[in-house]
């Protein structure tokens, strides 16, 4: 502890890394965005360290003066060692990458890490002032983070909520995990970009929803297909853990309310003939995090705060 009370929270996505610097009361002092380095593990660690240096530099703070650095990162994160494995989108496989140990050495401050969906679920719980929710992260990958009865559910092997590898389309494309038609290959950001490339370099999801809103039949069909796959994930989550809220998050959710509406309509349609599903009202539990705020980065800050409490 250095007494500044400042913390950096990082949301390391498959494509982008976002870092925020907050003061002791959680007020945001600085923000920094960069592309995520993937390939060699060393490059990833260097790029995370560089993001921390950039965001602290904006407020003339040294990393060593921080209370700590929290990181939400794809893959399975060992809660004791902070080693990361199976971050397929970052090129990390079964060999553990010592994320926390290496960055603590490089930055000379405490580092806490967790799976990105877990971190975002913590952030969403904070932002929505809710203690029971599932955060469906739809970005480069697809995964669910669970805060149940106020506690993060990591799972016995740290794999709770790895729903991206739920096969939802037996005729779908092959997934890197070795199965066919996983949620991640039919409903992730890259999957949408393959079927509906943005022509202006912008977001393919936004382009798809804009085109669908004008009545373009192909776009409407693609939007319905996406909503159908996500509705399956929501139903699976709802029937498994029955959370108070189901948050649609990740890069794909940046289209906001239209996504909630599209998925909600599919859920309502499917609940039509089912008294059980109608009673569960899954559509009524869908929300998005307020625009412009990164649940992942806010949750990463929470990781450091809870680590500090645990050490007291
Ligand atoms: Zn898969």
């Amino acid at each position: 502890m250095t007494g500044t009370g400042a913390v950096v929270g990082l949301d390391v996505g498959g494509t982008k890394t976002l870092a925020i610097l907050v003061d002791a009361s959680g007020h945001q002092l600085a923000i920094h965005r960069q592309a995520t380095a993937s390939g060699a593990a060393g490059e990833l660690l260097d790029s995370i360290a560089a993001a921390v240096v950039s965001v602290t530099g904006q407020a003339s703070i040294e990393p060593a003066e921080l209370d700590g650095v929290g990181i939400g990162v794809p893959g399975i994160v060992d809660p004791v060692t902070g080693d990361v494995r199976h971050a397929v989108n970052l090129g990390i496989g079964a060999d553990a990458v010592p994320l926390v140990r290496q960055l603590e050495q490089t930055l000379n401050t405490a580092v806490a890490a967790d799976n990105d969906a877990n971190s975002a679920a913590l952030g969403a719980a904070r932002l929505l002032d809710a203690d029971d929710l599932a955060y469906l992260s739809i970005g480069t990958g697809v995964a669910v983070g669970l805060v149940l009865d106020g506690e993060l559910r990591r799972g016995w092997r740290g794999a709770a909520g790895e729903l991206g590898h739920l096969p939802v389309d037996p005729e779908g494309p092959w997934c890197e995990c070795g199965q066919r038609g996983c949620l991640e290959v039919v409903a992730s950001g890259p999957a949408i970009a393959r079927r509906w490339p943005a022509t202006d370099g912008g977001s393919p999801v936004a382009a798809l929803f804009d085109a669908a809103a004008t009545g373009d039949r192909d776009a409407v069909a693609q939007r319905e297909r996406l909503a159908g796959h996500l509705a399956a994930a929501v139903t699976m989550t709802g029937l498994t853990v029955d959370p108070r809220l189901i948050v649609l998050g990740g890069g794909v959710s940046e289209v906001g309310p239209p996504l909630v509406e599209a998925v909600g309509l599919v859920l309502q349609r499917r609940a039509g003939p089912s008294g059980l599903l109608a009673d569960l009202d899954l559509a009524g539990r869908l929300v998005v995090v307020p625009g412009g705020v990164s649940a992942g980065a806010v949750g990463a800050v929470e990781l450091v705060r809870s680590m500090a409490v645990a050490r007291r």
Side-chain angles (χ1 to χ4, degrees), residues 103-256:
L103 286 171
E104 283 191 335
Q105 274 181 14
T106 308
L107 297 168
N108 195 22
T109 187
V111 175
D114 210 322
N115 168 268
D116 56 350
N118 289 350
S119 170
L122 279 178
R126 166 117 192 166
L127 291 165
L128 298 167
D129 194 22
D131 68 354
D132 202 75
L133 61 78
Y135 182 96
L136 179 56
S137 174
I138 318 148
T140 310
V142 176
V144 173
L146 299 166
V147 173
L148 304 174
D149 299 325
E151 295 285 332
L152 189 62
R153 170 67 190 176
R154 293 187 170 88
W156 179 246
R157 297 294 295 269
E162 286 291 327
L163 209 63
H165 298 290
L166 179 75
V168 291
D169 181 0
E171 305 292 308
W174 288 95
C175 176
E176 283 189 53
C177 80
Q179 305 182 92
R180 258 191 110 156
C182 288
L183 204 48
E184 197 157 294
V185 290
V186 296
S188 61
I192 296 163
R194 272 195 298 278
R195 291 200 301 263
W196 200 270
T199 47
D200 59 356
S203 151
V205 191
L208 171 63
F209 274 71
D210 285 350
T214 66
D216 181 300
R217 283 174 62 178
D218 282 349
V220 170
Q222 292 291 354
R223 183 188 64 190
E224 291 310 296
R225 197 168 149 196
L226 171 68
H229 292 318
L230 294 178
V234 168
T235 303
M236 168 91 183
T237 305
L239 291 173
T240 308
V241 289
D242 193 18
R244 166 74 189 86
L245 294 177
I246 299 171
V247 186
L248 300 181
V252 171
S253 76
E254 282 167 14
V255 291

